[in-house]
Each structure stands twice: as structure tokens, then as C-alpha cells.
Amino acid sequence: MSVCSSSSSSSSSSSSTGKAWIVHSILAGTAIAVAIGARAYLGRARKFRTRVVGIIPARYASSRFEGKPLVHILGKPMIQRTWERSKLATTLDHLVVATDDEKIAECCRGFGADVIMTSESCQNGTERCNEALEKLEKKYDIVVNIQGDEPLIEPEIIDGIVKALQAAPDAVFSTAVTSLKPEDAFDPNRVKCVVDNRGYAIYFSRGLIPFNKSAKVNPQFPYMLHLGIQSYDSKFLQIYPKLQPTPLQLEEDLEQLKVLENGYKMKVWQESYATV
């Protein structure tokens, strides 16, 4: 009886050890698989939207200020100062000027800028950026639309919106905001913005938003001012010109509303010390 008892106990112990070893092997294998998967995912994330081009759309025949890009500021054309400031951004792989005017093109080539000639039919800077993108030899994942009349643009703002778009795979567009000064609250030329708690744009308006029932500026509320710079996923930029104008876009005369009205997501990066 004692021998049988000993044998049974030994068999039970061996069986338990075997099961434990199997469970341990499964857990170890799962952990390794998770680690490999995480490394692969992080590797893809690091490579997501890595190729970035900055495009400065500039036209001569502006109804508000003809020849504005060529106006000299302390001895240099405005477009040159914008280009020089933009070149300081660390996220740009390439920077070009897109224009439909030979005078602007000649000026830009004179100070070393790459120039892409675009058609006069472009309705806005976004369409001009899209045409320029199609003419570039290399392929890019992100296009930054830098207005040609921003001679004081901060390179950190360019880097900020690029990194914001790279970190938001569900967004196709990114832009920047800064704090709104109380004296600009009711200026329709100062576009305001509201965002959700994840940093995605909810709405843009020329009016004050949010607007409280007292109809006065709340000095305690952090109102946001939209800055005139934006970046796009290059695939979305090809779609954008084909989107029909939307009611809110037409009413506010704001391009970015067409993006939101069509259900696309826009990431907003906040700069606290921007020059506006």
C-alpha cells in the first residue's frame, strides 16, 4: 500500500509540474509576442507621416494689397523674410514657394528659394499648395501651408503643428492657436477657435466663441485666437479641392470649416507665446 501511495503521489506531482511548465511557456510566449508586436507598432508610429514639405503660396494680384509679398521690410522682401524664418523649422525636409507670378518667382530664386509655378486659377492658398505638391518630384506625407505674409513666423509653430499631426493618426489637418487678447474679441479679422478636451477643433468663427449670455468678454475664460498656418495629410490635400463649399464655410468665409463640416478631424496645437 505504501508503494502504491508513493507512486500515486509522485505521478500527481509530475503532472502538476508539467502543467505549470506548459502554463509558464504559454505566458512567456504571449509576453514575447506582445513585446514584438509593441516594437513593430512603435516602429510604424515613429515612421508615420515622416516626410514633410513646407509650401509658401504667394500671389502678386491681391485685391487687398497688390504685390504684398515683394514689399521690403528692413531691406528684404516680405516673402524672403517669411522663407528665412520658415527655414529654421526642424521638421521640414524641404521648403518651396508656390506662385503664379514671374516677378515673385524671380525674386525668390534670387535669394535661393526653390520655386514651383502654379496656375492663376487657384482660388486660395490650399489649392495652390495642392498644385505645387503634384509638381514636386519627391513624395511627402505632410504639407505645411505657410502664408507668404508672415515675416515674423515662429519656427516653433511650424514644428508644433507638424508634430501634432504626426501624433494624431485620426486627423487629416492641423493648425495652431494662441491666447486671444481682450481687445481683439469682437474683431472679425481675428478668427476664434474652440476645441474639445482632446485638442481637436470643434469650430472656428469670426465672432467671439464661446459667447456668453452677458454678451461681454469673460476675463477669466481662455479664448483662443486662430493663427494663419495649417498642415495637411498629403492624401487629404488631394481630396480637399474636390470637396464642395459648405454652408458654414461660406457664411464665415473660413476654409477650415469645410474640413469640419465634411466630418474630418483637425488637431489644434496651442502656442502661448506666438507673435500675432
Side-chain angles (χ1 to χ4, degrees):
M1 290 294 292
S2 61
V3 173
C4 289
S5 177
S6 174
S7 175
S8 176
S9 175
S10 174
S11 175
S12 176
S13 175
S14 176
S15 176
S16 297
T17 301
K19 289 179 180 179
W21 183 86
I22 292 172
V23 171
H24 176 76
S25 297
I26 292 173
L27 291 176
T30 301
I32 292 171
V34 169
I36 293 173
R39 177 172 293 182
Y41 174 79
L42 290 174
R44 288 195 299 271
R46 281 195 294 269
K47 296 178 181 178
F48 186 64
R49 292 173 174 163
T50 57
R51 298 163 298 183
V52 184
V53 61
I55 300 179
I56 305 175
R59 64 191 184 108
Y60 188 90
S62 171
S63 58
R64 290 182 293 181
F65 193 157
E66 187 176 64
K68 186 177 181 181
L70 300 182
V71 171
H72 276 238
I73 300 175
L74 298 177
K76 291 183 180 180
M78 182 185 295
I79 187 73
Q80 181 176 353
R81 293 203 173 274
T82 301
W83 182 81
E84 289 176 346
R85 294 291 295 170
S86 301
K87 286 284 286 184
L88 298 175
T90 61
T91 53
L92 298 183
D93 297 304
H94 191 35
L95 179 65
V96 301
V97 175
T99 185
D100 59 1
D101 187 87
E102 191 55 45
K103 291 186 289 295
I104 293 177
E106 183 179 354
C107 171
C108 293
R109 293 189 189 105
F111 59 75
D114 287 337
V115 178
I116 300 291
M117 298 303 296
T118 54
S119 66
E120 296 181 0
S121 62
C122 295
Q123 297 296 309
N124 50 53
T126 304
E127 291 187 10
R128 199 172 302 282
C129 284
N130 180 50
E131 184 177 334
L133 178 66
E134 292 175 347
K135 293 182 176 181
L136 287 170
E137 294 181 0
K138 292 184 178 180
K139 300 298 181 183
Y140 294 93
D141 305 309
I142 291 178
V143 178
V144 185
N145 180 348
I146 305 166
Q147 293 187 12
D149 59 353
E150 292 286 345
L152 299 178
I153 187 164
E154 296 290 345
E156 292 79 11
I157 296 177
I158 296 174
D159 291 336
I161 65 171
V162 168
K163 292 175 182 178
L165 190 55
Q166 289 173 329
D170 56 344
V172 297
F173 190 113
S174 67
T175 191
V177 297
T178 191
S179 299
L180 178 71
K181 297 175 182 177
E183 58 267 31
D184 293 330
F186 299 104
D187 183 347
N189 295 313
R190 295 295 202 178
V191 177
K192 294 79 176 175
C193 174
V194 286
V195 302
D196 66 17
N197 57 13
R198 295 177 59 222
Y200 290 88
I202 297 175
Y203 193 67
F204 295 85
S205 180
R206 295 185 181 278
L208 181 64
I209 51 173
F211 191 77
N212 60 55
K213 61 184 179 181
S214 73
K216 297 178 181 179
V217 176
N218 178 1
Q220 305 303 317
F221 190 87
Y223 298 101
M224 295 181 183
L225 172 70
H226 180 229
L227 300 177
I229 184 171
Q230 47 216 21
S231 71
Y232 326 87
D233 179 279
S234 59
K235 293 180 181 178
F236 171 73
L237 183 57
Q238 296 169 354
I239 296 172
Y240 179 86
K242 301 173 185 176
L243 297 176
Q244 293 299 309
T246 54
L248 295 175
Q249 174 203 359
L250 294 174
E251 183 65 20
E252 295 266 15
D253 190 21
L254 296 173
E255 282 185 62
Q256 57 269 32
L257 289 177
K258 181 164 73 169
V259 179
L260 297 180
E261 284 186 88
N262 276 282
Y264 293 99
K265 284 196 170 186
M266 184 184 303
K267 192 70 174 178
V268 177
W269 181 80
Q270 186 165 7
E271 168 59 76
S272 301
Y273 306 103
T275 301
V276 295

